[in-house]
Amino acid sequence: MRGFGVKELLGCYARGVFPMAESRGDPRIFLLDPDERGVIPLDGFHIPRSLKKTVKRDVYHVTVDRCFETVVRACASPAPGREETWINPAIESLYAEMHATGYAHSIECWKDGALAGGLYGVTLGAAFFGESMFSRATDASKTALVHLVARLQAGGFRLLDAQFTTEHLERFGAQAIGRDDYHVQLKAAISRKGDFFKLPEGLPGAQLLQSITHTS
């Protein structure tokens, strides 16, 4: 999209639409405004018991914004069960700009010095728009999600937009809501200010779990 940059993308998020590409090899970007939207209620986040053990044991070293573009490229790469992705080079470039201007962030999970999983998304006011995640090791992306929710709760965020619901996300409490309901939640969230960096990086897993409400 010629002339489509950070300002225009933030405007899209503010009115409830988000960009995608048809495929990795398709250079075009289109905007989506689905009838139903996937959200993960921050006050109703559920952590499966086995994942709690992984987080508590600090299996992964978790960082924030250490290698944003690497995370996006990993999300864009084919993986077993996900041979095609919607992240094309134009989207990679656009979100790199978003990160450089402080609106896009990544959570990284490391094991033995190697990047094992992570996720990235966009902040606007007290809303976080989750874009994509990837995993190269058991529970790596799930651990990133737990750390993200802890960070959003600590920073006063009101909305975690997952775009679409999946069976995987439903295990964490994700639910589909109608467009009108979504817009009500979106308007309330972006009118407030969230602090993505209020939670210190490197918090031990046990302490992190204690900080998260409604984890049963």
Side-chain angles (χ1 to χ4, degrees):
M1 289 185 182
R2 181 173 295 179
F4 192 85
V6 171
K7 181 180 178 181
E8 290 76 21
L9 182 53
L10 290 175
C12 288
Y13 282 114
R15 65 177 186 271
V17 299
F18 57 91
M20 292 186 75
E22 188 66 39
S23 68
R24 174 75 175 161
D26 190 333
R28 297 170 297 177
I29 298 175
F30 60 92
L31 300 174
L32 285 178
D33 182 16
D35 293 336
E36 288 191 333
R37 197 63 159 260
V39 298
I40 301 177
L42 290 170
D43 60 354
F45 185 64
H46 171 75
I47 307 176
R49 185 174 299 178
S50 61
L51 181 57
K52 283 185 183 180
K53 293 179 181 178
T54 299
V55 174
K56 191 173 184 179
R57 287 168 45 218
D58 292 314
V59 171
Y60 299 103
H61 174 59
V62 182
T63 58
V64 180
D65 284 353
R66 294 293 181 88
C67 55
F68 178 86
E69 292 185 40
T70 302
V71 169
V72 176
R73 285 195 298 271
C75 290
S77 299
R82 190 191 67 184
E83 283 67 33
E84 186 59 80
T85 73
W86 55 269
I87 303 171
N88 65 11
I91 286 177
E92 286 187 40
S93 177
L94 181 57
Y95 282 85
E97 289 184 53
M98 292 283 282
H99 176 62
T101 52
Y103 288 103
H105 303 284
S106 59
I107 305 286
E108 304 95 13
C109 289
W110 306 82
K111 189 171 185 180
D112 300 327
L115 186 62
L119 58 81
Y120 77 96
V122 170
T123 58
L124 182 61
F128 185 90
F129 306 89
E131 287 298 318
S132 189
M133 60 175 62
F134 79 99
S135 189
R136 295 171 178 162
T138 302
D139 286 345
S141 63
K142 296 175 185 176
T143 297
L145 179 60
V146 172
H147 279 256
L148 171 68
V149 169
R151 183 164 294 278
L152 298 181
Q153 286 189 354
F157 281 76
R158 298 298 186 92
L159 175 66
L160 173 49
D161 179 354
Q163 296 181 346
F164 302 104
T165 55
T166 63
E167 185 177 344
H168 170 69
L169 292 177
E170 285 172 359
R171 296 181 62 203
F172 298 94
Q175 56 187 240
I177 61 175
R179 183 189 287 123
D180 290 345
D181 190 9
Y182 173 77
H183 279 278
V184 169
Q185 293 190 33
L186 174 65
K187 184 177 179 180
I190 64 175
S191 68
R192 295 175 175 270
K193 185 175 181 179
D195 182 358
F196 192 74
F197 296 101
K198 185 172 183 179
L199 190 74
E201 185 181 275
L203 206 63
Q207 188 176 344
L208 185 97
L209 288 172
Q210 290 178 354
S211 75
I212 298 178
T213 58
H214 299 283
T215 60
S216 61

